[in-house]
């Protein structure tokens, strides 16, 4: 029997392929069931299956139907995999055009559209998977969350970076003499600069949330506004004092030694405030 798609006089097999395009609130499906030669079999399998793979998922019904269509297409193609290729003589018949009605241009447009949609979906997922992106693509994570805090994901990223800055700034100094201690402290300046910027954004956000009384019915929000925000601000101010002292002081004498102890005591007090805020978060099972 000639191929019912291209008319080629070649070995054929009855095959059914299905295609689905999800459009969120609607869907568009196509079905072809014909006696096909091996050439048309491959073309329709590629077109219908890849279109469904890229565009078939968008919508509740489409989410259910798409994997079924994909499995059926693969199974039907696998069942016909041993179909012989058309002979050379058959393909050289005058008037035969080695193509099928599958619209190549339409398929290319659908493929491009699918890539664009999937890129948008993956970008949206990446934006909200802050911890995962920070582990595997920190530079991209920084670009996704640059700017002011505008949503929960932005807040989560800001909190993550604030935690990193605090960990570096409050770490013990390893050197035992002032020149070595001074060098270690000055090397932390990039983290302090980052903390200054993030603390400013965070305090502005807390001011808006305080005015909106968001902590009235949310214990975790209340702790953030009343404990963590002031503790973070005090810590940031004291770290600026400590690094400012390190920049201005090249040698330690009796006078500067007392000033260093005072600044260090203030820093320790700010760290204790932060630790208390973290402890209260843990006690109320709040995420930091």
């Amino acid at each position: 029997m000639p191929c019912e798609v291209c008319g080629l006089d070649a070995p054929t097999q009855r095959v059914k392929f299905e295609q689905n395009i999800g459009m969120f609130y609607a869907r568009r499906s196509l079905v072809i069931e014909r006696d096909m030669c091996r050439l048309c079999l491959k073309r329709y399998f590629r077109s219908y299956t890849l279109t469904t793979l890229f565009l078939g998922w968008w919508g509740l019904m489409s989410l259910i139907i798409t994997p079924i269509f994909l499995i059926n297409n693969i199974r039907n193609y696998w069942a016909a995999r041993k179909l012989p290729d058309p002979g050379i003589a058959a393909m050289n018949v005058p008037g035969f055009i080695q193509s099928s009605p599958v619209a190549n241009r339409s398929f290319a447009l659908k493929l491009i559209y699918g890539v664009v949609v999937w890129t948008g979906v993956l970008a949206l997922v990446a934006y909200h998977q802050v911890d995962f992106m920070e582990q595997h693509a920190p530079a991209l994570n920084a670009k996704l969350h640059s700017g002011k805090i505008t949503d929960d994901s932005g807040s989560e990223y800001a909190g993550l970076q604030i935690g990193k800055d605090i960990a570096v700034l409050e770490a013990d100094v390893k050197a035992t003499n002032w020149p070595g201690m001074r060098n270690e402290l000055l090397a932390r300046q990039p983290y302090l600069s980052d903390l200054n910027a993030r603390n400013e954004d965070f305090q502005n956000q807390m001011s808006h949330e305080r005015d909106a009384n968001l902590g009235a019915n949310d214990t975790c929000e209340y702790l953030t506004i009343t404990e963590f925000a002031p503790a973070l601000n005090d810590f940031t101010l004291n770290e600026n004092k400590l690094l400012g002292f390190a920049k201005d002081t090249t040698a330690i004498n009796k006078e500067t030694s007392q000033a260093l102890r005072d600044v260090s005591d203030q820093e320790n007090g700010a760290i204790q405030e932060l630790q208390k805020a973290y402890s209260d978060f843990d006690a109320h099972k709040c995420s930091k």
Side-chain angles (χ1 to χ4, degrees):
M1 180 179 295
C3 175
E4 292 183 345
V5 176
C6 67
L8 187 65
D9 188 9
T12 59
Q13 184 165 325
R14 194 76 176 178
V15 182
K16 177 182 179 181
F17 292 127
E18 298 169 293
Q19 172 183 288
N20 183 68
I21 298 177
M23 296 177 284
F24 297 99
Y25 298 105
R27 67 184 187 87
R28 181 171 180 266
S29 61
L30 293 174
V31 179
I32 184 169
E33 186 173 6
R34 304 277 182 85
D35 288 312
M36 298 185 193
C37 66
R38 186 174 179 83
L39 296 176
C40 293
L41 177 83
K42 288 181 177 180
R43 292 190 181 103
Y44 272 94
F45 172 73
R46 184 194 67 173
S47 178
Y48 276 43
T49 304
L50 290 181
T51 298
T52 302
L53 179 64
F54 275 97
L55 306 177
W57 305 92
W58 319 120
L60 182 58
M61 285 299 297
S62 292
L63 191 62
I64 299 171
I65 291 172
T66 291
I68 297 174
F69 280 14
L70 291 173
I71 292 171
N72 286 341
N73 285 355
I74 293 171
R75 184 180 61 188
N76 293 338
Y77 180 78
W78 185 257
R81 71 189 186 281
K82 294 183 179 179
L83 187 67
D85 287 322
I88 296 177
M91 295 179 65
N92 287 329
V93 172
F96 169 68
I97 302 176
Q98 194 172 338
S99 64
S100 71
V102 179
N104 292 327
R105 180 174 299 180
S106 175
F107 174 70
L109 291 175
K110 288 186 289 186
L111 191 62
I112 294 171
Y113 173 71
V115 170
V116 171
V117 171
W118 272 103
T119 300
V121 170
L122 292 176
L124 184 64
V125 171
Y127 183 83
H128 289 282
Q129 295 299 316
V130 177
D131 287 337
F132 178 83
M133 291 299 294
E134 188 62 22
Q135 291 178 11
H136 300 283
L140 177 59
N141 208 26
K143 290 181 180 180
L144 289 173
H145 298 283
S146 60
K148 302 295 183 182
I149 300 172
T150 56
D151 55 20
D152 290 341
S153 294
S155 297
E156 184 181 354
Y157 178 76
L160 187 65
Q161 299 306 310
I162 287 172
K164 288 182 178 181
D165 292 336
I166 290 174
V168 173
L169 292 169
E170 71 172 357
D172 293 334
V173 177
K174 297 179 181 179
T176 57
N177 55 52
W178 176 243
M181 295 171 63
R182 183 171 182 265
N183 288 335
E184 286 188 46
L185 291 173
L186 294 178
R188 299 176 181 182
Q189 181 61 55
Y191 295 92
L192 179 59
S193 298
D194 184 71
L195 183 62
N196 282 328
R198 297 191 184 282
N199 179 59
E200 183 180 357
D201 289 343
F202 185 75
Q203 298 302 329
N204 289 334
Q205 183 189 26
M206 290 300 101
S207 178
H208 292 309
E209 294 186 6
R210 191 180 297 111
D211 293 341
N213 201 24
L214 296 182
N217 300 311
D218 188 330
T219 302
C220 295
E221 190 74 28
Y222 176 79
L223 292 174
T224 302
I225 294 173
T226 60
E227 289 191 26
F228 181 73
L232 175 64
N233 200 47
D234 287 345
F235 177 81
T236 304
L237 291 174
N238 280 285
E239 288 301 315
N240 279 284
K241 290 180 182 178
L242 179 60
L243 263 72
F245 176 86
K247 289 178 182 178
D248 298 336
T249 307
T250 57
I252 293 294
N253 52 37
K254 185 177 180 179
E255 182 179 348
T256 56
S257 178
Q258 181 59 48
L260 177 59
R261 281 195 293 270
D262 291 341
V263 173
S264 297
D265 289 342
Q266 292 173 7
E267 181 196 27
N268 290 332
I271 291 174
Q272 289 176 4
E273 289 182 26
L274 276 176
Q275 290 174 340
K276 181 181 182 301
Y278 285 143
S279 178
D280 289 341
F281 279 149
D282 289 337
H284 291 84
K285 296 181 172 56
C286 303
S287 60
K288 298 183 181 63

